Amino acid sequence: NMSLTKNVYIVFTEYQLLQALNICTGRFNNAEFLNIVYIVRQGRRMKGIIKDKNYNSTTINFKFCDQELPKTLVEMLISEKPNHFFMFQDTTALNIMLGRRMANLGIEVSLGPDGYGSYEDLKKRFEFLSRIKTTFMHVNYLVKNNLFSGKIDFYNYTYASHKFIDNVWVTHPDEFVHRGRNKVKIEKLPELNSECLTLIKKLFSFNTNFPTRDVIYFFNQPLWNTLLDVEYNFLEDVIEQFPNNKVILKLHPLTSQEMKDRYKSLVKLEVLDGDFPAEILISSLQNCIVYSGWSTVLITENTSCNYYFNYPVFKKTEHPIMKQINIHPLKHISMVEAVSEMKFPNP
């Protein structure tokens, strides 16, 4: 059928996949659209998906790319001849090149969310040098993979500032400030719907066997040396100050083995080490405390829970990396410096 509008998505992480499915099911889920989601698995990401099962529906098809060379991947995506191309990161050499090539072919290009990038000011102290270095790395990557067009693209840290981007999809449009000089259309992401969650649960063979009521959920992040101690000590305080509530840690997919062992040595801590996106979990909680340093997971709002970032505790350490990260919390997330500031919605 020639009149079908074809949307093609490229995703590299669990969160990107969740948001691609959110957009498919929430906005393009009728007979006029065909959504094709390319799941590119590199390293340890998204290994939890068993790819021999058939997840396709009438409006959504999946393609798994595990060993494809970048050049092959680009050729596959271009040959789809989409009407609308979606990517969820505008900072990688591959995505930037894809976005430009799609736009040159007259294809509409959308940038979906990759978590906090859109709300975070990354202050690179040596921005000019960093940009030259990143530009060089990108050119190097493209040359190595036979994808270099001869055009050098001077790298820019400003979110969504590429000329080829038509639309930027964000969870909270009222709190998003577009800083690029290019004109973009701001699209509000749909709320996570049950069809999207069902599909994600199917993809990750996810079964709910964790407590969802009156518990404290902590989402860790891959951090550096001394900051790991800060995170761990705060967690110890949480366990101590809430003796009658379960404390559950959902591990980040990139947590080191050493940290996993440290967490597991905490007697009263329950550790979830699944490969599924934490957002599924958040959407099923009731009357819980949800906290993290500054993890993107907490962007997903569940009005029956209280949300906290203990980012100020890390900021106080004056660790050099903390000078580069400035978080603008969303309205549903409170900043705390001590465990005593965290409360249950209905104690």
Side-chain angles (χ1 to χ4, degrees):
N1 183 347
M2 285 309 293
S3 64
L4 270 187
T5 298
K6 193 183 205 184
N7 297 332
V8 171
Y9 307 75
I10 183 168
V11 301
F12 296 88
T13 68
E14 295 81 359
Y15 181 77
Q16 293 180 14
L17 174 59
L18 179 80
Q19 291 299 358
L21 295 183
N22 183 17
I23 293 170
C24 293
T25 54
R27 279 286 285 274
F28 302 112
N29 200 7
N30 60 48
E32 294 163 42
F33 295 100
L34 174 59
N35 298 284
I36 300 175
V37 181
Y38 275 76
I39 297 178
V40 184
R41 303 197 282 191
Q42 301 169 321
R44 286 151 52 188
R45 303 313 295 252
M46 297 193 290
K47 285 288 185 261
I49 304 174
I50 300 151
K51 72 172 188 183
D52 308 328
K53 285 193 203 161
N54 182 18
Y55 306 101
N56 294 347
S57 66
T58 46
T59 54
I60 307 174
N61 291 344
F62 294 94
K63 297 198 175 168
F64 290 92
C65 301
D66 290 342
Q67 304 304 322
E68 281 74 5
L69 291 167
K71 193 172 175 64
T72 314
L73 196 56
V74 170
E75 282 158 7
M76 285 164 78
L77 288 157
I78 299 280
S79 67
E80 289 283 2
K81 298 194 166 64
N83 301 88
H84 197 161
F85 175 64
F86 292 78
M87 59 178 176
F88 296 81
Q89 232 178 346
D90 64 344
T91 52
T92 66
L94 185 64
N95 277 6
I96 293 170
M97 199 220 61
L98 268 169
R100 169 162 307 109
R101 286 205 36 196
M102 293 287 183
N104 288 345
L105 294 166
I107 295 159
E108 186 176 357
V109 177
S110 271
L111 176 63
D114 184 34
Y116 236 116
S118 42
Y119 304 98
E120 184 178 319
D121 281 345
L122 205 55
K123 288 198 175 25
K124 292 276 189 199
R125 271 181 304 171
F126 308 106
E127 189 173 303
F128 188 72
L129 287 174
S130 291
R131 286 177 68 189
I132 288 177
K133 195 171 151 193
T134 308
T135 303
F136 179 74
M137 279 162 58
H138 281 195
V139 169
N140 205 11
Y141 169 88
L142 295 172
V143 169
K144 200 178 85 195
N145 289 293
N146 299 320
L147 289 168
F148 186 54
S149 66
K151 181 178 183 309
I152 292 184
D153 207 28
F154 191 42
Y155 186 73
N156 190 347
Y157 285 108
T158 310
Y159 187 73
S161 61
H162 297 284
K163 287 195 179 67
F164 59 75
I165 298 171
D166 297 304
N167 318 300
V168 182
W169 295 70
V170 289
T171 40
H172 300 73
D174 50 321
E175 300 179 45
F176 173 75
V177 181
H178 181 61
R179 294 192 168 86
R181 295 196 198 119
N182 53 331
K183 286 268 177 288
V184 294
K185 186 171 171 223
I186 307 294
E187 292 274 9
K188 180 170 170 39
L189 280 157
E191 298 298 319
L192 284 180
N193 61 75
S194 58
E195 188 179 342
C196 172
L197 289 166
T198 307
L199 194 49
I200 273 277
K201 286 176 181 174
K202 207 166 106 181
L203 279 157
F204 286 92
S205 344
F206 178 83
N207 38 16
T208 42
N209 52 359
F210 51 85
T212 53
R213 211 177 239 293
D214 310 321
V215 284
I216 298 171
Y217 270 94
F218 165 50
F219 296 90
N220 75 318
Q221 292 154 282
L223 296 167
W224 307 265
N225 39 48
T226 51
L227 295 179
L228 285 166
D229 295 331
V230 175
E231 180 193 72
Y232 185 83
N233 297 340
F234 192 93
L235 178 59
E236 277 190 317
D237 281 353
V238 172
I239 294 169
E240 197 174 304
Q241 292 188 40
F242 289 96
N244 305 320
N245 297 93
K246 268 206 159 113
V247 182
I248 300 170
L249 159 61
K250 162 72 176 88
L251 286 173
H252 187 282
L254 303 178
T255 310
S256 71
Q257 191 53 49
E258 183 193 353
M259 271 322 283
K260 283 185 190 178
D261 296 341
R262 261 183 95 177
Y263 293 130
K264 286 174 183 168
S265 71
L266 285 166
V267 179
K268 289 190 66 183
L269 181 71
E270 204 172 308
V271 179
L272 291 181
D273 193 2
D275 206 5
F276 56 90
E279 287 76 13
I280 319 179
L281 200 152
I282 283 197
S283 55
S284 39
L285 302 179
Q286 284 170 310
N287 195 47
C288 290
I289 287 175
V290 180
Y291 94 91
S292 177
W294 59 94
S295 167
T296 57
V297 170
L298 271 62
I299 287 180
T300 305
E301 188 173 358
N302 173 337
T303 48
S304 74
C305 298
N306 283 349
Y307 284 70
Y308 301 101
F309 271 172
N310 67 339
Y311 166 80
V313 182
F314 294 92
K315 193 81 178 155
K316 275 201 302 211
T317 61
E318 298 192 346
H319 189 285
I321 196 80
M322 299 312 294
K323 290 194 179 68
Q324 296 188 15
I325 300 174
N326 263 326
I327 299 296
H328 302 293
L330 302 167
K331 291 188 180 77
H332 66 278
I333 306 172
S334 307
M335 292 283 197
V336 295
E337 292 200 23
V339 177
S340 54
E341 297 170 59
M342 306 196 331
K343 308 265 185 288
F344 278 92
N346 301 305

